[in-house]
Amino acid sequence: MKLIQLSDCHLLENPEREGYGGINPLQSLLAVLNLVATQKPDGIIVTGDISGDDSDASYQFFIDALNQWLPDVPVKVIAGNHDNNPLFNSRLAPWLLTADTCWEFGDWCIHGLDTRSTGTLGIINPNQLQQISTQIQQHAEKQHLLALHHHPVATYSWMDKHALQGVPLLEAWLAEHPVAALLHGHIHADNLASLAGRPVYGAPSTCWQWALTPEFGLADVAPGFRQFNLTSSLSTEIGRVT
């Protein structure tokens, strides 16, 4: 089973508007989806920040793009800090991955943790962890992945000002649950870390990439996605537009 992770699209109400690095987020997303379609994925998970300005149009652009390029591929989404608005839940309702229902994906279950808080910070919701615990118990025969938006492990960069709060709670929870790996967005970067002995994978943005440096900056690398190959084990690789 081939799972593609997209993240941090930052789509805008004005489809002609450019963002950081002179990148048009809609055109960049379309280029990424063009490449993703060639991989023939079995599923797409989007780890937040679909919108960059809380606009209805930004979500419609996203829905239209996925339906155009990957019309028959199942899609699940979780929210990022830029999706902290009523439109995210209402417009993307058919695709929401919530803590109380796991996504059965072959021999795997994928669980979504909503880390939205105030501003750019993330927070751990203990009630959601309990819901995921129940789902893990109900699907004990499967392997498990946990998807969230905010990064739970420090990058030692300026992005850590916008990190996940309450990580010790998550770490203690992981120590008691058979989660094979975590995947997240937010940092706009290919990154590998570890928490409670589990690999923690960051993904590129579909638009501009952040430099994980002490001072704010952009990385001179192309937009892309992360691909997970899920069999009896997990392998992963990064794809980027050229």
Side-chain angles (χ1 to χ4, degrees):
M1 299 287 284
K2 186 181 295 184
L3 176 69
I4 298 292
Q5 179 190 1
L6 304 175
S7 202
D8 299 276
C9 307
H10 290 272
L11 299 174
L12 303 168
E13 184 173 32
N14 181 352
E16 304 300 324
R17 183 179 164 193
E18 295 179 346
Y20 291 100
I23 292 174
N24 178 304
L26 178 57
Q27 293 305 314
S28 181
L29 172 63
L30 295 177
V32 170
L33 292 180
N34 181 40
L35 179 57
V36 167
T38 68
Q39 304 303 304
K40 302 187 182 305
D42 298 295
I44 303 284
I45 185 162
V46 187
T47 47
D49 281 5
I50 291 170
S51 178
D53 61 4
D54 294 326
S55 65
D56 184 76
S58 64
Y59 291 113
Q60 189 60 53
F61 290 142
F62 176 78
I63 293 166
D64 290 346
L66 268 292
N67 285 336
Q68 175 188 350
W69 285 101
L70 298 152
D72 301 316
V73 179
V75 176
K76 295 293 183 182
V77 301
I78 60 173
N81 50 286
H82 283 281
D83 300 308
N84 203 359
N85 59 68
L87 288 169
F88 175 82
N89 285 48
S90 61
R91 299 291 269 117
L92 297 173
W95 292 347
L96 290 182
L97 179 59
T98 54
D100 59 351
T101 306
C102 83
W103 183 16
E104 295 188 59
F105 194 78
D107 294 331
W108 293 73
C109 272
I110 304 167
H111 307 270
L113 186 63
D114 186 344
T115 55
R116 282 178 290 186
S117 181
T118 57
T120 58
L121 295 174
I123 194 168
I124 294 294
N125 184 319
N127 291 333
Q128 289 189 37
L129 289 181
Q130 182 55 54
Q131 290 175 321
I132 295 172
S133 296
T134 299
Q135 289 296 308
I136 290 175
Q137 292 170 2
Q138 292 177 355
H139 300 88
E141 77 286 359
K142 293 185 180 290
Q143 299 193 71
H144 301 274
L145 289 177
L146 180 64
L148 65 164
H149 176 70
H150 291 83
H151 59 297
V153 181
T155 61
Y156 302 101
S157 75
W158 64 275
M159 274 301 295
D160 292 341
K161 300 175 185 176
H162 313 290
L164 184 66
Q165 308 299 294
V167 172
L169 177 62
L170 176 61
E171 189 171 18
W173 181 87
L174 284 170
E176 298 179 354
H177 294 83
V179 173
L182 294 79
L183 52 137
H184 66 85
H186 195 48
I187 62 172
H188 294 219
D190 167 19
N191 193 62
L192 173 61
S194 178
L195 185 67
R198 320 298 164 79
V200 179
Y201 297 103
S205 166
T206 64
C207 55
W208 44 86
Q209 311 301 298
W210 296 139
L212 298 184
T213 52
E215 300 300 324
F216 172 84
L218 300 178
D220 187 20
V221 288
F225 60 90
R226 181 177 286 280
Q227 176 176 311
F228 291 93
N229 304 304
L230 303 176
T231 57
S232 58
S233 61
L234 176 154
S235 64
T236 182
E237 57 197 272
I238 297 294
R240 294 189 188 274
V241 298
T242 57

